[in-house]
Amino acid sequence: MPTDGTDRAATFLLRSGVALYGGFDGTEASLDARDWVAHSTTLSGDIGVPGNDTDNVYHVVTGSGTDATAVLDGFSVTAARADGNLPRNRGGGMRTIGGSPTVRHVVFHDNYAGDSNFAAFGAGMFNDRGSSPTLVDVRFERNVSESVAGGMANRNDSSPTLRDVVFLENEAGQLAGGMANESGSSPVLVNVRFERNHSAGWTGGMDNYDDTSPRLYNVQFFGNTAANYGGGMTNDTNGEPLLVNALFVGNTAANGGAVNAVGAGGLQNNGTATTLVGVTFVANEAPSGADGLGNRDKDGNPGTVIMRDAIFWQNGDELVNEEDARLDVSHALVEGGYADGTAVLDADPRFARMPSPGADATWGTADDDYGDLHLRTDSPALDSGDAAHLPADLADLDGDGDTAEAVPVDLDGNARVLGTALDLGPYEGGVTVSNEPSGTPGGVTFGSVYPNPARDSVSLHFTLAVAGHVCLTVYDALGRRVARLVDTPLGAGTHALTWHPPALAAGVYWVSLEAGTTRRVQTLSLLPL
């Protein structure tokens, strides 16, 4: 705790040139030996009466006025209550004004922001006035804002960089359960997932408003919900957002009580110029308007969506273009077709496994199955795109230092172009789906390796239809074994583990899952140390 007293203004104050590290058990001889997951180090705002959050600190961590040499690495940040008058109603877990610290291996969870004027921002993190922190391997979980952005809020030209970040089950009372970007704030997101975030107003996942131009690469929006429009994402009023290699699955917008309630379940675009390349929208829902993507002008600003190499399937109303808005579609697969597009297919994309809302038939709940949206080897979407549509790799996804080349990798971290042309959607290459009965050893599913590319932590999960001996092995590009993760009998069901790669060279590795006579392989790209 930042104080042993009762001063709610107490905070852990970051300083340039000072790095704070957590995750030790006391026996390590180096930073590399830490395990911040097994040995959690908690920065808590729960001062005063334990368990009574009304007397907790306003901001657990403050990073104002710092540069990248101010480091927070390996902590859990929790129990803030930012419920005071401005500015103490913004940034519960962490507040940064005019600063750009480095945040790694941190979980911001169960923080709160709220006030009687509905002007609270960023229960997990708030960045303002040119703050552009760098976040790597960070999670925002169960943070609640009564107003804007349960997870993170960025205002007034604050443009953080996020890599390998998860927004899970954050909530907002008015706008943006996961993340809100306003007033020229244009973050860069790489390998980021928004899952089951909720807004009682607009935009469940990520909201971009007023001249914001975020860049999103390899991003997933799963099961986010909004009481009004923009289940997954809303782009509103100017700006030029870019999304490359993205999935939108099971996002919902109830459109209840909204003015002109015709917003989209997946992505709503209002008076903004948005570009989508290599995206897939499946099973998004909205009771009125567009289930998949909605596009309209706003206050004289024409809404423009340029969509390339995309798949829209089983969203209901796939694409809705209103008023004087412009929707430019080329090289895509759209259920029901799109007459005004170029090279648009209307055929079953043949995904490896379709998503499902689970037994409760409701998206945004814990039993959601987001499916496996890799394309089968007989998919009509294979080689139906155009590699010329790929933008420059400004985020350097493959870590080779070349930001002028076209985006080189897909959502899995594999080469973005295989065969004769670009594949539609975020994945490249077809997969073979086993037709063996589920009661045989062949009933094995190897889920996606996440994040990918990665460096410090990799999550893997797989499902066995029947019990059997399992080997999970990592090989380098030359076929040499570098790690044996599992070599033991396991029961039927889903299994998950986290691997912390040792000091391996950057590059492509193979993760092999063997169960009975069945072998499944995923590729993994490791970033430089």
Side-chain angles (χ1 to χ4, degrees):
M1 291 172 282
T3 177
D4 56 5
T6 59
D7 181 8
R8 297 188 64 197
T11 185
F12 291 103
L13 185 64
L14 302 183
R15 296 182 181 276
S16 295
V18 178
L20 305 180
Y21 295 96
F24 297 94
D25 70 358
T27 63
E28 296 85 356
S30 68
L31 285 175
D32 292 340
R34 293 178 302 150
D35 188 334
W36 48 86
V37 176
H39 308 297
S40 178
T41 306
T42 299
L43 306 181
S44 173
D46 190 13
I47 63 173
V49 179
N52 180 356
D53 67 353
T54 62
D55 61 1
N56 291 10
V57 300
Y58 299 113
H59 319 289
V60 178
V61 179
T62 300
S64 299
T66 59
D67 60 26
T69 63
V71 178
L72 186 72
D73 186 324
F75 292 92
S76 171
V77 178
T78 188
R81 188 173 179 86
D83 63 353
N85 295 324
L86 187 71
R88 291 174 175 170
N89 57 352
R90 298 178 178 182
M94 182 170 176
R95 178 176 181 268
T96 300
I97 309 300
S100 300
T102 300
V103 181
R104 295 190 295 254
H105 317 309
V106 173
V107 180
F108 293 91
H109 69 92
D110 299 290
N111 298 288
Y112 173 85
D115 62 19
S116 58
N117 297 318
F118 298 101
F121 285 76
M125 177 181 286
F126 177 67
N127 301 302
D128 198 5
R129 283 179 260 167
S131 295
S132 298
T134 297
L135 283 71
V136 179
D137 186 24
V138 173
R139 297 178 68 90
F140 293 86
E141 298 182 1
R142 302 183 305 278
N143 302 287
V144 177
S145 171
E146 295 294 340
S147 305
V148 177
M152 171 190 285
N154 303 302
R155 304 192 78 207
N156 299 314
D157 301 306
S158 296
S159 301
T161 298
L162 288 73
R163 291 180 180 270
D164 305 329
V165 175
V166 175
F167 292 83
L168 177 66
E169 296 180 347
N170 302 283
E171 298 184 19
Q174 290 186 312
L175 179 70
M179 172 191 280
N181 304 300
E182 298 185 3
S183 306
S185 297
S186 300
V188 175
L189 281 67
V190 179
N191 296 332
V192 176
R193 185 170 85 248
F194 293 84
E195 183 174 349
R196 300 202 305 272
N197 301 284
H198 174 71
S199 172
W202 289 264
T203 312
M206 178 179 179
D207 189 272
N208 306 297
Y209 174 73
D210 187 19
D211 291 299
T212 64
S213 300
R215 299 290 184 263
L216 284 72
Y217 306 86
N218 293 13
V219 177
Q220 302 168 75
F221 291 83
F222 291 155
N224 301 286
T225 58
N228 291 320
Y229 62 62
M233 171 185 274
T234 300
N235 298 327
D236 198 328
T237 311
N238 300 324
E240 298 179 351
L242 170 68
L243 286 80
V244 183
N245 301 341
L247 284 176
F248 285 73
V249 181
N251 302 285
T252 62
N255 284 328
V259 177
N260 298 322
V262 289
L267 188 154
Q268 179 64 35
N269 191 70
N270 300 328
T272 299
T274 296
T275 299
L276 307 174
V277 181
V279 301
T280 291
F281 284 60
V282 176
N284 301 283
E285 300 177 353
S288 58
D291 298 280
L293 180 145
N295 185 37
R296 63 155 67 120
D297 66 359
K298 181 180 180 182
D299 301 328
N301 296 315
T304 301
V305 174
I306 297 175
M307 192 170 78
R308 301 288 186 262
D309 312 293
I311 298 174
F312 278 72
W313 192 254
Q314 293 194 7
N315 296 288
D317 293 318
E318 303 291 342
L319 307 172
V320 176
N321 195 45
E322 302 174 49
E323 303 169 6
D324 296 323
R326 173 174 173 253
L327 180 56
D328 182 348
V329 179
S330 178
H331 295 77
L333 187 155
V334 180
E335 186 170 19
Y338 188 70
D340 295 329
T342 301
V344 175
L345 304 174
D346 177 13
D348 186 343
R350 297 192 58 75
F351 296 123
R353 188 178 81 255
M354 281 295 295
S356 166
D360 63 3
T362 302
W363 288 110
T365 56
D367 69 345
D368 292 353
D369 175 4
Y370 305 117
D372 182 348
L373 300 182
H374 290 83
L375 302 172
R376 300 189 187 197
T377 54
D378 58 351
S379 170
L382 295 174
D383 292 333
S384 292
D386 187 342
H389 298 150
L390 291 171
D393 183 24
L394 298 180
D396 194 16
L397 298 183
D398 56 357
D400 66 354
D402 185 358
T403 58
E405 64 179 340
V407 167
V409 297
D410 68 358
L411 186 57
D412 280 338
N414 299 323
R416 179 64 261 210
V417 181
L418 298 172
T420 60
L422 188 72
D423 296 342
L424 304 184
Y427 297 114
E428 196 72 17
V431 298
T432 300
V433 177
S434 173
N435 293 319
E436 296 168 314
S438 60
T440 71
V444 177
T445 301
F446 192 4
S448 296
V449 175
Y450 183 85
N452 195 357
R455 178 66 264 171
D456 300 302
S457 178
V458 181
S459 296
L460 308 101
H461 67 274
F462 55 90
T463 301
L464 307 178
V466 296
H469 194 278
V470 173
C471 289
L472 188 62
T473 311
V474 182
Y475 297 92
D476 66 13
L478 297 178
R480 298 171 296 193
R481 189 178 78 186
V482 298
R484 175 64 60 83
L485 308 183
V486 176
D487 188 4
T488 187
L490 293 176
T494 298
H495 303 268
L497 73 155
T498 300
W499 178 47
H500 298 295
L504 297 173
V508 176
Y509 292 79
W510 302 93
V511 186
S512 170
L513 173 67
E514 297 177 77
T517 61
T518 300
R519 184 169 185 253
R520 304 278 188 262
V521 177
Q522 298 272 16
T523 57
L524 168 66
S525 295
L526 289 183
L527 298 171
L529 291 166

